[in-house]
Amino acid sequence: MGPLHDSAMARLTKAQQKKYQPTLLRILRNLGVKLERMEEAVLLAQTDGGGDDGEDLGAEGYSRDFQLGLIENEDVILRSVRAALQRIELGTFGTCDGCEELIPPRRLEVVPYTRFCVECKQEAENAGD
Ligand SMILES: [Zn+2]
């Protein structure tokens, strides 16, 4: 009659979790390559700066900031993907960090490195920091 006395959080089976491993590894690889190239581009932009005029660096400075911003975003994703792979090892992949319910498979197909279901993700974003 009462609610199921199940104190354990909802979990995908080990096999279900492992299914996402190749996808995560592929993202990691793709990001790694991209990240390297971008860092290279930023370094080139930086060493290229202290030249003859030194006056009109405005446009270059802007694009450098823009590129650094991109790297930051990719870095966040990179870390999330690594954490997701760790969660597969721990056996907690696919469970929402917020409500401890299963993250819908459709969401995991799109963002396999997410820690939250859609609702908890939105709550986390609204809460700010
Ligand atoms: Zn949740």
Side-chain angles (χ1 to χ4, degrees):
M1 35 194 264
L4 282 176
H5 205 73
D6 186 17
S7 59
M9 60 184 196
R11 288 196 182 179
L12 294 177
T13 67
K14 199 81 187 164
Q16 283 172 322
Q17 296 182 37
K18 288 262 182 199
K19 215 178 65 180
Y20 293 93
Q21 214 168 29
T23 315
L24 288 164
L25 287 172
R26 201 182 50 217
I27 295 173
L28 205 59
R29 210 158 35 226
N30 288 344
L31 276 179
V33 170
K34 255 204 232 161
L35 208 60
E36 246 171 55
R37 284 199 195 135
M38 274 210 262
E39 272 167 358
E40 220 169 83
V42 171
L43 281 177
L44 280 174
Q46 275 169 347
T47 49
D48 201 30
D52 1 320
D53 286 343
E55 280 300 313
D56 55 358
L57 286 169
E60 274 177 42
Y62 171 79
S63 80
R64 193 191 309 155
D65 284 350
F66 180 66
Q67 280 171 325
L68 282 173
L70 284 180
I71 287 175
E72 218 166 82
N73 284 340
E74 300 226 330
D75 199 44
V76 169
I77 296 173
L78 202 67
R79 259 176 276 170
S80 304
V81 174
R82 287 210 182 104
L85 286 165
Q86 267 179 337
R87 286 199 299 280
I88 291 179
E89 293 306 312
L90 293 170
T92 60
F93 177 85
T95 303
C96 174
D97 253 16
C99 60
E100 302 197 341
E101 296 294 330
L102 289 181
I103 300 169
R106 256 186 313 158
R107 176 159 167 74
L108 287 175
E109 301 289 341
V110 183
V111 270
Y113 48 83
T114 188
R115 290 191 298 138
F116 295 113
C117 69
V118 177
E119 284 108 61
C120 290
K121 172 77 182 170
Q122 276 165 355
E123 250 174 60
E125 271 169 11
N126 290 341
D129 41 326

